[in-house]
Amino acid sequence: LRKRRRWCRCRLLTAPSPFRSLDQLPALRAHGGPGRAFLGLPPALALVASARDPCAYAYSATRRGAADAAAVETPAGARHVTPEGYMEVIRALAPDAYVALSDEVPASARADRVRRAVDRSAEWLDRCLAAAPAGAAAFAAVQGGAAPAERARAARAAAARAPALAGFALAGLGTGESRAERAAALAAMLGELPRGKARLAQGLGAPDELLDAVAAGVDLFDDAYAVDATEGGYALSFPLGPDDPANGEATSSGLGATKSGGGGAEDGANGTAAVADGSGEEDVVAGDDSKLNLRAGAHRLDARPLVAGCPCAACAPGHSRAYLHHLLLAHEMTAEVLLEAHNATHLARFLAAARAAVRAGRFGAFRAWHAARRRRAMSGVR
Ligand SMILES: [Zn+2]
């Protein structure tokens, strides 16, 4: 499992889809260095290139007369991209790892379409590997829609190429499948994949989805949850685990003024006063047990950081909830920059807590604690 552990320690940065770089090939080649130097990335981040952009998902489709190419939208318009064309971008970008081009289908795809996607993805994987630069770490994309039998068949095809691979991307998830369908798809794939290679899940989002996947045996995630929260004006604030010193703070503050309780000097200085002053924003819910809605007037005078003790670029320097609220309402881009820094950091800290629980042999209790917390929140019991 040594190789798998090496990837498990990584904090990944997904490059914008290589499709977006198709028209930038001359600039990438002229730069000459690896993509991480081009982007100025610190060594702690591993750069991964994948055709699926979790922040702007559009599954690749094939068209009549172009069965050996993915039909994709690029900033310069629609293009057909062959595995060889895709690998040209990978060669120029030189990421730490890449996910081979595959024929992505959503969970709702018809059975014959899913079968074709599985066959085509296996053929495209071979063509990507044949065109790959030496030393490139490759992940095979495992498709199969919501059909467990096709998921298992795709996983067996990918596993047969394992010696040439660093790991496997569990692709086509988060495309409308139910929780039960996803669990069945994950089990079907993971049952066929070798244990010593990294498993990357693409398309999952919420923390409970991530814990489900970790329990199933997933190591890495390509996740748009932090970006989606940022775009909604939310700051993630759920407790990281039972040992989180901030545990309880997030739930009491997250519901905003009318339910914050406590009534101490700190509370009195923020949400309660703001909502009661006739600001006209009383109807905007200030958040829930998992996140703060920073557009809500309840945060207008709140001097606290988003999450106490958070080391992110928003919390560590002492930027307040009131300041973030102001930036959002003023449509300042700094609001999204700071919020995304916080949300990405919070999610990374949550996964670090999950890793610590796995190492300590108490992941089951960690997962059960989060599930119980969510159940209490959903039923309104605190
Ligand atoms: Zn923060």
Side-chain angles (χ1 to χ4, degrees), residues 159-351:
R161 280 87 171 170
L165 300 170
F168 303 91
L170 313 178
L173 300 173
T175 60
E177 73 275 15
S178 68
R179 191 170 184 175
E181 287 174 330
R182 180 181 299 162
L186 284 173
M189 290 185 283
L190 295 170
E192 300 288 347
L193 295 176
R195 293 180 57 82
K197 303 272 181 175
R199 296 97 173 265
L200 162 69
Q202 296 182 294
L204 306 187
D208 53 344
E209 293 181 323
L210 303 187
L211 293 184
D212 285 351
V214 169
V218 172
D219 305 305
L220 301 158
F221 298 96
D222 189 358
D223 186 341
Y225 190 68
V227 175
D228 291 343
T230 300
E231 287 180 351
Y234 293 102
L236 301 181
S237 59
F238 58 86
L240 304 176
D243 304 326
D244 186 353
N247 196 0
E249 195 273 344
T251 49
S252 65
S253 64
L255 285 175
T258 55
K259 295 184 182 176
S260 62
E266 190 182 12
D267 285 338
N270 53 60
T272 305
V275 164
D277 70 358
S279 66
E281 294 167 336
E282 293 92 326
D283 292 338
V284 180
V285 177
D288 58 23
D289 66 301
S290 297
K291 57 192 180 301
L292 307 171
N293 177 4
L294 287 168
R295 295 189 194 282
H299 302 297
R300 198 170 55 212
L301 300 175
D302 194 331
R304 291 173 296 175
L306 299 176
V307 170
C310 174
C312 83
C315 300
H319 294 312
S320 66
R321 298 178 187 183
Y323 177 54
L324 270 293
H325 169 74
H326 158 72
L327 290 176
L328 270 177
L329 264 56
H331 302 290
E332 287 281 356
M333 193 176 74
T334 314
E336 291 194 354
V337 172
L338 291 175
L339 258 185
E340 188 163 332
H342 169 78
N343 287 334
T345 300
H346 197 77
L347 211 51
R349 294 174 74 205
F350 167 66
L351 287 173

Side-chain angles (χ1 to χ4, degrees), residues 19-115:
F19 298 144
R20 289 173 178 263
S21 303
L22 280 169
D23 303 305
Q24 306 297 326
L25 273 176
L28 281 171
R29 286 178 177 140
H31 183 267
R36 61 166 41 260
F38 189 63
L39 297 170
L41 292 182
L45 284 174
L47 183 65
V48 179
S50 168
R52 177 171 177 177
D53 181 344
C55 299
Y57 180 60
Y59 66 88
S60 64
T62 53
R63 292 178 183 161
R64 259 180 231 286
D68 69 335
V72 298
E73 293 294 328
T74 75
R79 297 269 293 263
H80 284 167
V81 181
T82 63
E84 290 75 19
Y86 179 78
M87 293 309 295
E88 269 190 63
V89 183
I90 298 298
R91 187 181 290 274
L93 194 58
D96 297 291
Y98 73 91
V99 179
L101 186 67
S102 66
D103 186 11
E104 178 112 6
V105 288
S108 58
R110 287 175 16 176
D112 58 339
R113 177 70 185 89
V114 172
R115 270 196 305 276

Side-chain angles (χ1 to χ4, degrees), residues 124-148:
W124 288 3
L125 171 60
D126 287 337
R127 288 167 62 181
C128 286
L129 291 173
F139 280 63
V142 182
Q143 298 288 347

